[in-house]
Amino acid sequence: AALELLLLLADVTLEEALRAAERARRTIEAQTLMVGEAPIQVTVSMGVEVQDPREPLGTTVERADAALYEAKRRGRNRVFTEQTA
């Protein structure tokens, strides 16, 4: 099953956002969820982008969404940004 979330961080650099995303990815990956008696390993792929003040928020969200799908294309369970690709 897949779930998509949007998280907006204020006043952070790309590097800070990438570090936060990677920290969250590792924390999620380290967890094992039990569904009944079956252990489930959860992973997460994230697309990270920083808004250019000259662009509308929707454009930033579209870029982050594209980065998310690129993370999935590259093998999942990773953080990706087009800004350092």
Side-chain angles (χ1 to χ4, degrees), residues 22-35:
E22 183 59 28
R23 199 169 42 247
R25 188 199 65 74
R26 286 186 185 145
T27 299
I28 291 166
E29 178 183 46
Q31 305 304 307
T32 300
L33 300 178
M34 297 301 291
V35 177

Side-chain angles (χ1 to χ4, degrees), residues 49-60:
E49 295 297 326
V50 172
Q51 184 179 18
D52 181 323
R54 299 167 295 188
E55 74 182 1
L57 179 59
T59 301
T60 308

Side-chain angles (χ1 to χ4, degrees), residues 42-72:
V42 177
T43 62
V44 63
S45 299
M46 296 185 202
V48 176
E49 295 297 326
V50 172
Q51 184 179 18
D52 181 323
R54 299 167 295 188
E55 74 182 1
L57 179 59
T59 301
T60 308
V61 171
E62 288 172 6
R63 289 189 301 107
D65 192 52
L68 165 64
Y69 282 95
E70 184 61 20
K72 291 178 180 182

Side-chain angles (χ1 to χ4, degrees), residues 6 10 13 23 27 30 45 48 58 61 64 72 75 77-78 80-81 84:
L6 173 64
T13 65
R23 199 169 42 247
T27 299
S45 299
V48 176
V61 171
K72 291 178 180 182
N77 195 29
R78 66 187 63 233
F80 185 81
T81 180
T84 60

